[in-house]
Amino acid sequence: MLLLLVAAILSAMTAPSHSAVDSFVFGGCSTPKYTAGSAYENSVNSLLTSLVNSAAFANYNNLSVEGPLYGLFQCRGDLANDQCSRCVARAVTQLGTLCLDSCGGALQLEGCFIKYDNAKFLGVEDKTMVVKKCGASVGLTSDALTGRDAVLAYLQASGCTFRTTQYGDFHGVAQCTGDLSPPECQDCLSDAIQRLKNECGPSPSADIYLAKCYARYYQPASHSHPNNGNRFLRPHPAFVYTLLLRY
Ligand SMILES: *[C@@H]1O[C@H](CO)[C@@H](O)[C@H](O)[C@H]1NC(C)=O
Protein backbone atom coordinates (compact mmCIF):
# COMPACT_ATOMS: atom_id res chain seq x y z
CA MET A 1 0.00 0.00 0.00
CA LEU A 2 2.73 2.39 1.04
CA LEU A 3 4.79 1.33 -1.95
CA LEU A 4 1.90 2.02 -4.26
CA LEU A 5 1.46 5.45 -2.74
CA VAL A 6 5.15 6.26 -3.11
CA ALA A 7 5.04 5.07 -6.69
CA ALA A 8 2.00 7.25 -7.34
CA ILE A 9 3.67 10.32 -5.84
CA LEU A 10 6.87 9.67 -7.76
CA SER A 11 5.04 9.29 -11.02
CA ALA A 12 3.00 12.42 -10.29
CA MET A 13 6.27 14.28 -9.78
CA THR A 14 8.06 12.97 -12.83
CA ALA A 15 5.27 12.51 -15.36
CA PRO A 16 4.74 15.48 -17.66
CA SER A 17 1.65 17.35 -16.48
CA HIS A 18 -1.60 16.83 -18.27
CA SER A 19 -1.87 20.32 -19.68
CA ALA A 20 1.69 20.17 -21.00
CA VAL A 21 0.98 16.87 -22.75
CA ASP A 22 -2.05 18.32 -24.54
CA SER A 23 -0.59 21.70 -25.55
CA PHE A 24 -0.75 22.35 -29.27
CA VAL A 25 2.59 22.81 -31.01
CA PHE A 26 1.81 22.74 -34.74
CA GLY A 27 -0.43 21.18 -37.31
CA GLY A 28 -0.44 20.97 -41.08
CA CYS A 29 -2.61 19.64 -43.89
CA SER A 30 -1.83 18.60 -47.46
CA THR A 31 -3.31 20.83 -50.13
CA PRO A 32 -5.07 18.02 -52.03
CA LYS A 33 -8.44 17.05 -50.59
CA TYR A 34 -10.44 13.87 -50.95
CA THR A 35 -14.12 13.61 -51.80
CA ALA A 36 -16.37 13.28 -48.79
CA GLY A 37 -17.94 9.81 -48.69
CA SER A 38 -15.18 8.25 -50.84
CA ALA A 39 -13.33 5.00 -50.14
CA TYR A 40 -10.32 7.18 -49.28
CA GLU A 41 -12.27 8.82 -46.48
CA ASN A 42 -13.08 5.36 -45.07
CA SER A 43 -9.39 4.47 -45.22
CA VAL A 44 -8.44 7.68 -43.37
CA ASN A 45 -11.01 7.00 -40.67
CA SER A 46 -9.99 3.39 -40.19
CA LEU A 47 -6.27 4.26 -40.17
CA LEU A 48 -6.73 6.97 -37.55
CA THR A 49 -8.93 4.72 -35.42
CA SER A 50 -6.33 1.93 -35.56
CA LEU A 51 -3.60 4.37 -34.59
CA VAL A 52 -5.57 5.57 -31.57
CA ASN A 53 -6.27 1.96 -30.52
CA SER A 54 -2.65 0.90 -30.81
CA ALA A 55 -1.52 3.91 -28.74
CA ALA A 56 -2.91 2.06 -25.69
CA PHE A 57 -0.08 -0.49 -26.07
CA ALA A 58 2.95 1.29 -27.48
CA ASN A 59 4.58 4.71 -27.70
CA TYR A 60 5.14 4.37 -31.44
CA ASN A 61 3.43 2.57 -34.26
CA ASN A 62 3.09 2.81 -38.01
CA LEU A 63 0.33 1.49 -40.22
CA SER A 64 -0.39 1.21 -43.92
CA VAL A 65 -3.84 0.57 -45.34
CA GLU A 66 -5.40 0.41 -48.78
CA GLY A 67 -5.60 3.79 -50.43
CA PRO A 68 -2.64 3.69 -50.34
CA LEU A 69 -2.42 5.43 -47.05
CA TYR A 70 0.32 5.55 -44.43
CA GLY A 71 0.28 6.75 -40.87
CA LEU A 72 2.24 6.87 -37.65
CA PHE A 73 2.06 8.24 -34.16
CA GLN A 74 4.89 8.93 -31.78
CA CYS A 75 4.36 9.69 -28.10
CA ARG A 76 6.90 11.40 -25.89
CA GLY A 77 9.16 8.59 -24.71
CA ASP A 78 8.27 8.99 -21.02
CA LEU A 79 4.48 8.91 -21.36
CA ALA A 80 2.60 6.02 -19.77
CA ASN A 81 0.31 4.07 -22.12
CA ASP A 82 -2.85 5.74 -20.83
CA GLN A 83 -1.36 9.23 -21.28
CA CYS A 84 -0.14 8.26 -24.74
CA SER A 85 -3.50 6.98 -25.91
CA ARG A 86 -5.32 10.04 -24.51
CA CYS A 87 -2.85 12.30 -26.28
CA VAL A 88 -3.16 10.49 -29.62
CA ALA A 89 -6.97 10.49 -29.36
CA ARG A 90 -6.91 14.24 -28.77
CA ALA A 91 -4.47 14.79 -31.64
CA VAL A 92 -6.71 12.81 -34.00
CA THR A 93 -9.75 14.85 -32.96
CA GLN A 94 -7.89 18.12 -33.57
CA LEU A 95 -6.50 16.84 -36.87
CA GLY A 96 -10.03 16.03 -38.02
CA THR A 97 -11.02 19.65 -37.47
CA LEU A 98 -7.84 21.24 -38.77
CA CYS A 99 -7.46 19.01 -41.86
CA LEU A 100 -11.06 18.33 -42.82
CA ASP A 101 -11.04 16.19 -46.01
CA SER A 102 -7.29 16.61 -46.54
CA CYS A 103 -5.45 13.70 -48.16
CA GLY A 104 -2.68 14.10 -45.59
CA GLY A 105 -2.25 15.76 -42.24
CA ALA A 106 0.15 16.08 -39.33
CA LEU A 107 -0.29 17.41 -35.82
CA GLN A 108 2.10 17.82 -32.90
CA LEU A 109 0.94 18.21 -29.32
CA GLU A 110 3.62 18.43 -26.65
CA GLY A 111 3.05 14.78 -25.74
CA CYS A 112 2.52 13.20 -29.14
CA PHE A 113 2.82 13.53 -32.90
CA ILE A 114 0.52 12.03 -35.51
CA LYS A 115 0.74 12.02 -39.29
CA TYR A 116 -1.05 10.35 -42.19
CA ASP A 117 -0.53 10.76 -45.93
CA ASN A 118 -0.89 8.98 -49.25
CA ALA A 119 2.76 9.66 -50.07
CA LYS A 120 4.99 7.07 -48.41
CA PHE A 121 6.84 8.99 -45.73
CA LEU A 122 7.51 6.09 -43.31
CA GLY A 123 11.21 5.49 -42.83
CA VAL A 124 12.13 8.55 -44.90
CA GLU A 125 14.33 11.11 -43.21
CA ASP A 126 12.93 14.65 -43.37
CA LYS A 127 14.75 17.57 -41.81
CA THR A 128 12.39 20.30 -42.96
CA MET A 129 12.24 22.97 -40.28
CA VAL A 130 8.68 23.28 -39.05
CA VAL A 131 8.82 25.42 -35.90
CA LYS A 132 11.63 27.27 -34.22
CA LYS A 133 11.16 29.36 -31.11
CA CYS A 134 13.97 31.15 -29.35
CA GLY A 135 13.53 32.53 -25.84
CA ALA A 136 14.05 36.20 -25.09
CA SER A 137 17.59 37.19 -25.95
CA VAL A 138 18.61 38.32 -22.48
CA GLY A 139 22.02 36.69 -22.73
CA LEU A 140 23.38 34.08 -20.32
CA THR A 141 26.12 34.24 -17.72
CA SER A 142 29.12 32.07 -18.54
CA ASP A 143 28.00 29.56 -15.87
CA ALA A 144 24.56 29.38 -17.40
CA LEU A 145 26.04 29.00 -20.86
CA THR A 146 28.12 26.08 -19.59
CA GLY A 147 24.94 24.41 -18.29
CA ARG A 148 23.06 25.06 -21.50
CA ASP A 149 25.92 23.67 -23.59
CA ALA A 150 26.20 20.58 -21.37
CA VAL A 151 22.51 19.88 -21.90
CA LEU A 152 22.83 20.27 -25.66
CA ALA A 153 26.01 18.17 -25.77
CA TYR A 154 24.23 15.34 -23.94
CA LEU A 155 21.17 15.57 -26.18
CA GLN A 156 23.43 15.38 -29.19
CA ALA A 157 25.59 12.50 -27.94
CA SER A 158 23.08 10.11 -26.35
CA GLY A 159 22.27 7.48 -28.95
CA CYS A 160 18.62 7.07 -27.99
CA THR A 161 15.45 7.92 -29.86
CA PHE A 162 14.16 9.75 -26.77
CA ARG A 163 16.61 11.83 -24.76
CA THR A 164 16.17 13.90 -21.61
CA THR A 165 18.73 15.49 -19.38
CA GLN A 166 19.27 18.16 -16.77
CA TYR A 167 22.32 20.21 -15.92
CA GLY A 168 22.10 22.97 -13.35
CA ASP A 169 18.91 24.92 -14.03
CA PHE A 170 18.61 23.62 -17.58
CA HIS A 171 16.41 20.79 -18.71
CA GLY A 172 16.55 19.32 -22.19
CA VAL A 173 14.48 16.90 -24.22
CA ALA A 174 14.90 15.54 -27.72
CA GLN A 175 13.14 12.85 -29.72
CA CYS A 176 12.82 11.34 -33.17
CA THR A 177 9.83 9.58 -34.69
CA GLY A 178 10.24 5.82 -34.34
CA ASP A 179 10.45 5.16 -38.08
CA LEU A 180 13.97 6.61 -38.32
CA SER A 181 16.97 4.30 -37.95
CA PRO A 182 19.44 5.19 -35.16
CA PRO A 183 21.87 6.86 -37.62
CA GLU A 184 19.04 8.84 -39.24
CA CYS A 185 17.79 9.91 -35.82
CA GLN A 186 21.30 10.99 -34.86
CA ASP A 187 21.65 12.96 -38.08
CA CYS A 188 18.28 14.68 -37.58
CA LEU A 189 18.99 15.62 -33.96
CA SER A 190 22.54 16.79 -34.70
CA ASP A 191 21.10 19.15 -37.28
CA ALA A 192 18.34 20.33 -34.96
CA ILE A 193 20.72 21.03 -32.07
CA GLN A 194 23.24 22.79 -34.28
CA ARG A 195 20.48 25.04 -35.55
CA LEU A 196 19.26 25.76 -32.02
CA LYS A 197 22.75 26.89 -31.06
CA ASN A 198 23.47 28.89 -34.18
CA GLU A 199 20.10 30.49 -34.71
CA CYS A 200 18.93 31.11 -31.13
CA GLY A 201 22.28 32.11 -29.66
CA PRO A 202 22.60 32.26 -25.86
CA SER A 203 18.84 32.12 -25.11
CA PRO A 204 17.53 30.86 -21.77
CA SER A 205 15.23 28.50 -23.71
CA ALA A 206 14.65 27.32 -27.25
CA ASP A 207 12.55 24.80 -29.18
CA ILE A 208 13.09 23.44 -32.64
CA TYR A 209 10.86 20.99 -34.47
CA LEU A 210 12.05 19.45 -37.71
CA ALA A 211 9.62 17.19 -39.58
CA LYS A 212 10.89 14.02 -37.84
CA CYS A 213 12.71 15.13 -34.71
CA TYR A 214 12.73 17.89 -32.16
CA ALA A 215 15.02 19.30 -29.50
CA ARG A 216 14.21 21.75 -26.71
CA TYR A 217 15.84 23.13 -23.62
CA TYR A 218 14.38 25.33 -20.88
CA GLN A 219 14.70 26.39 -17.26
CA PRO A 220 11.54 25.32 -15.43
CA ALA A 221 12.21 27.56 -12.43
CA SER A 222 12.53 30.80 -14.34
CA HIS A 223 9.38 30.37 -16.44
CA SER A 224 11.57 30.84 -19.46
CA HIS A 225 9.49 28.54 -21.63
CA PRO A 226 9.68 30.38 -24.94
CA ASN A 227 6.11 31.60 -25.11
CA ASN A 228 6.97 35.02 -26.39
CA GLY A 229 10.07 34.12 -28.31
CA ASN A 230 10.61 34.35 -32.02
CA ARG A 231 8.49 32.08 -34.09
CA PHE A 232 9.62 30.56 -37.29
CA LEU A 233 7.33 28.76 -39.62
CA ARG A 234 8.20 27.57 -43.05
CA PRO A 235 5.82 26.34 -45.71
CA HIS A 236 6.44 22.69 -46.48
CA PRO A 237 6.17 21.47 -50.08
CA ALA A 238 3.36 19.05 -49.23
CA PHE A 239 2.07 20.38 -45.94
CA VAL A 240 1.04 23.85 -44.94
CA TYR A 241 1.84 24.05 -41.25
CA THR A 242 -0.30 26.22 -39.03
CA LEU A 243 0.79 27.59 -35.72
CA LEU A 244 -2.08 28.44 -33.45
CA LEU A 245 -1.78 31.15 -30.84
CA ARG A 246 -2.32 28.72 -27.99
CA TYR A 247 1.18 27.29 -28.31
C1 LIG B 1 6.24 -0.40 -39.24
O1 LIG B 1 5.67 -1.35 -38.34
C2 LIG B 1 6.11 -2.68 -38.56
C3 LIG B 1 5.37 -3.61 -37.63
O2 LIG B 1 4.41 -2.99 -36.87
C4 LIG B 1 7.61 -2.75 -38.30
O3 LIG B 1 8.07 -4.05 -38.52
C5 LIG B 1 8.31 -1.78 -39.23
O4 LIG B 1 9.69 -1.76 -38.93
C6 LIG B 1 7.75 -0.38 -39.09
N1 LIG B 1 8.32 0.47 -40.11
C7 LIG B 1 8.78 1.68 -39.83
C8 LIG B 1 9.36 2.43 -40.97
O5 LIG B 1 8.75 2.15 -38.72
Side-chain angles (χ1 to χ4, degrees):
M1 180 66 191
L2 184 64
L3 257 182
L4 270 181
L5 189 65
V6 171
I9 292 172
L10 272 181
S11 77
M13 276 163 39
T14 54
S17 76
H18 202 47
S19 61
V21 170
D22 286 345
S23 299
F24 182 89
V25 180
F26 66 81
C29 317
S30 69
T31 319
K33 299 229 172 198
Y34 57 76
T35 313
S38 62
Y40 192 88
E41 177 173 37
N42 284 336
S43 296
V44 171
N45 289 338
S46 88
L47 179 92
L48 294 178
T49 305
S50 302
L51 286 176
V52 171
N53 290 340
S54 69
F57 308 102
N59 266 358
Y60 164 75
N61 198 16
N62 74 78
L63 289 171
S64 315
V65 298
E66 246 174 273
L69 188 61
Y70 309 93
L72 68 74
F73 73 86
Q74 175 67 62
C75 282
R76 222 185 107 109
D78 54 357
L79 288 196
N81 285 344
D82 62 327
Q83 290 178 300
C84 177
S85 66
R86 266 201 307 271
C87 186
V88 172
R90 182 173 283 254
V92 164
T93 304
Q94 294 190 11
L95 198 56
T97 312
L98 187 70
C99 298
L100 188 67
D101 298 344
S102 292
C103 292
L107 192 112
Q108 174 84 55
L109 302 181
E110 287 212 9
C112 62
F113 173 74
I114 180 155
K115 177 170 178 173
Y116 72 94
D117 199 10
N118 55 6
K120 188 158 193 248
F121 64 92
L122 296 174
V124 179
E125 204 179 347
D126 182 354
K127 295 190 281 184
T128 309
M129 172 123 68
V130 182
V131 176
K132 183 185 75 184
K133 292 180 31 169
C134 306
S137 80
V138 293
L140 291 177
T141 64
S142 71
D143 274 2
L145 202 54
T146 304
R148 196 283 304 254
D149 287 347
V151 162
L152 291 184
Y154 178 86
L155 291 181
Q156 186 151 352
S158 150
C160 307
T161 295
F162 175 64
R163 310 167 182 195
T164 55
T165 188
Q166 186 184 349
Y167 189 102
D169 295 338
F170 285 93
H171 289 228
V173 55
Q175 185 163 29
C176 298
T177 53
D179 61 323
L180 295 190
S181 68
E184 288 168 336
C185 176
Q186 187 54 41
D187 182 55
C188 190
L189 284 179
S190 293
D191 252 44
I193 290 163
Q194 209 52 51
R195 283 161 115 158
L196 267 193
K197 268 188 162 166
N198 293 346
E199 296 170 31
C200 287
S203 286
S205 60
D207 296 358
I208 189 165
Y209 287 82
L210 307 186
K212 289 213 166 169
C213 70
Y214 67 82
R216 344 171 43 176
Y217 70 88
Y218 56 98
Q219 294 169 287
S222 68
H223 303 288
S224 65
H225 199 71
N227 274 328
N228 300 309
N230 301 322
R231 291 183 170 156
F232 179 93
L233 205 56
R234 172 157 157 179
H236 189 274
F239 286 86
V240 181
Y241 286 102
T242 324
L243 196 60
L244 300 186
L245 292 174
R246 263 179 294 146
Y247 178 59

